[in-house]
């Protein structure tokens, strides 16, 4: 089933509402004009003819060597794949030989000391080495397999919109109202014994079914999506530390963080 890739529109809920508060609360980046710095990053490197033909896959994996090998065997056969970088975050065990020395010659192991979802965006390949990345990167989880033709369709669509994230799994955010009660301490301070309920708007992560029924979306999941390699460096170097630390601590939401 060849799922059509999506080119997201700009997410009005991200930069306009969340980003300023995250930066303002960052002790490391609480400096004048830091928001302007974040929104004025260097321009993306233009694509060469080679970049319009080939792409690099970065596979996120952990303790699933059998599944990873299935993914490598499949994706190595795709003609548009120049190289497959395996993000190896297991400091205790090395990758099996059939992975480290994959028969295709396309596989490179990138060894990371930390095991967080931020590492999937941290590029450790030397710029002048044989493992130099193409401008186009397919961020991929090890348990997802799509036909090479479906990946090609997404890749060529990305080359025409290389400042966007182009992927296959859209999600939307929803705003719901939740009731919150005044605490006992607050009751004493206000000299009241009446429990007052207040409604507050809370942003929540929408399910795929909500996205499909609404026929709109806010972001694309990075478990299977094309993006420019420069965005990986921007994320690692410039992401607000509270956001970066939250992804590391909760082992989640790196898709939301990258969408900024």
């Amino acid at each position: 089933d060849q799922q059509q890739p999506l080119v997201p529109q700009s997410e009005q809920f991200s930069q306009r509402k969340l980003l300023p508060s995250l930066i303002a609360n960052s002790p490391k980046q609480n400096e004048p004009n830091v928001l302007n710095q974040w929104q004025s990053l260097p321009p993306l490197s233009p694509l060469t003819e080679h970049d319009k033909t080939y792409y690099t896959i970065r596979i996120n994996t952990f303790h699933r060597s059998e599944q990873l090998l299935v993914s490598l065997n499949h994706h190595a056969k795709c003609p548009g794949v120049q190289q497959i970088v395996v993000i190896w975050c297991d400091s205790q065990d090395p990758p099996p030989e059939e992975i480290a020395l994959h028969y295709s010659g396309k596989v490179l192991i990138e060894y990371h000391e930390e095991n967080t979802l931020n590492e999937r965006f941290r590029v450790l390949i030397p710029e002048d080495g044989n493992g130099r990345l193409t401008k186009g990167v397919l961020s991929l989880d090890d348990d997802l397999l799509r036909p090479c033709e479906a990946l090609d369709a997404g890749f060529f669509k990305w080359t025409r919109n290389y400042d966007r994230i182009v992927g296959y799994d859209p999600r939307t955010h929803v705003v719901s109202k939740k009731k919150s009660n005044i605490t006992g301490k607050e009751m004493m301070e206000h000299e009241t014994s009446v429990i007052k309920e207040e409604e507050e708007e809370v942003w929540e992560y929408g399910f795929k079914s909500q996205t499909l029924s609404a026929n709109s979306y806010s972001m694309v999941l990075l478990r299977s999506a094309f993006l420019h390699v420069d965005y990986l460096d921007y994320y690692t170097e410039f992401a607000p530390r509270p956001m970066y630390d939250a992804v590391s601590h909760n082992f989640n939401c790196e898709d939301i963080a990258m969408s900024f």
Side-chain angles (χ1 to χ4, degrees):
D1 184 17
Q2 296 187 19
Q3 192 173 0
Q4 284 298 311
L6 298 169
V7 182
Q9 303 298 317
S10 59
E11 298 84 3
Q12 58 177 323
F13 74 95
S14 60
Q15 291 188 355
R16 292 175 57 186
K17 193 165 184 180
L18 285 183
L19 186 55
S21 62
L22 284 169
I23 293 180
N25 294 325
S26 171
K28 185 174 181 180
Q29 301 188 21
N30 190 16
E31 300 174 357
N33 299 321
V34 69
L35 180 57
N36 292 334
Q37 276 185 325
W38 172 250
Q39 293 178 327
S40 302
L41 294 170
L44 296 174
S45 305
L47 304 187
T48 66
E49 289 303 315
H50 183 82
D51 292 319
K52 295 177 183 178
T53 307
Y54 299 99
Y55 57 92
T56 300
I57 297 179
R58 287 179 62 84
I59 295 186
N60 198 52
T61 187
F62 191 73
H63 286 177
R64 296 198 295 193
S65 293
E66 291 185 3
Q67 179 62 55
L68 174 60
L69 186 58
V70 171
S71 179
L72 295 178
N73 290 342
H74 168 70
H75 292 105
K77 297 175 182 177
C78 296
V81 175
Q82 173 176 294
Q83 192 167 52
I84 304 174
V85 178
V86 175
I87 303 165
W88 194 264
C89 296
D90 187 350
S91 59
Q92 302 298 319
D93 300 307
E97 184 173 323
E98 60 268 27
I99 290 176
L101 302 176
H102 194 262
Y103 73 89
S104 67
K106 291 185 176 182
V107 177
L108 179 70
I109 309 298
E110 195 178 75
Y111 295 93
H112 292 250
E113 295 181 358
E114 294 184 70
N115 179 31
T116 78
L117 288 176
N118 288 319
E119 297 302 301
R120 76 185 305 165
F121 305 134
R122 184 188 297 275
V123 179
L124 302 180
I125 300 173
E127 284 296 320
D128 57 349
N130 294 328
R132 186 173 183 178
L133 294 177
T134 56
K135 299 295 192 305
V137 173
L138 174 61
S139 177
L140 191 67
D141 282 358
D142 60 8
D143 59 346
L144 289 178
L145 299 175
R146 283 193 171 87
C148 297
E149 295 80 7
L151 296 181
D152 284 345
F155 172 64
F156 291 125
K157 186 167 289 188
W158 173 83
T159 61
R160 298 191 293 272
N161 304 271
Y162 67 86
D163 60 330
R164 304 291 186 93
I165 297 175
V166 177
Y168 302 83
D169 297 290
R171 292 293 186 274
T172 188
H173 71 291
V174 295
V175 180
S176 62
K177 291 186 177 181
K178 289 189 175 181
K179 293 182 178 180
S180 59
N181 295 333
I182 291 180
T183 64
K185 181 180 178 181
E186 291 171 331
M187 289 169 57
M188 293 178 62
E189 291 175 349
H190 292 84
E191 297 181 352
T192 178
S193 59
V194 178
I195 298 179
K196 183 182 178 181
E197 288 188 343
E198 295 184 346
E199 283 191 342
E200 59 177 352
E201 289 188 344
V202 178
W203 288 5
E204 294 182 339
Y205 193 63
F207 295 105
K208 186 175 182 179
S209 58
Q210 292 173 299
T211 303
L212 295 176
S213 63
N215 196 29
S216 64
Y217 59 99
S218 307
M219 58 175 287
V220 173
L221 300 186
L222 270 298
R223 66 179 187 173
S224 180
F226 288 95
L227 71 166
H228 198 291
V229 65
D230 288 353
Y231 284 141
L232 306 183
D233 292 332
Y234 294 170
Y235 180 95
T236 301
E237 296 297 325
F238 300 108
R241 291 304 98 177
M243 182 170 67
Y244 194 89
D245 294 341
V247 171
S248 178
H249 177 73
N250 296 307
F251 224 84
N252 206 344
C253 299
E254 81 283 5
D255 312 274
I256 299 175
M258 177 58 83
S259 292
F260 285 120

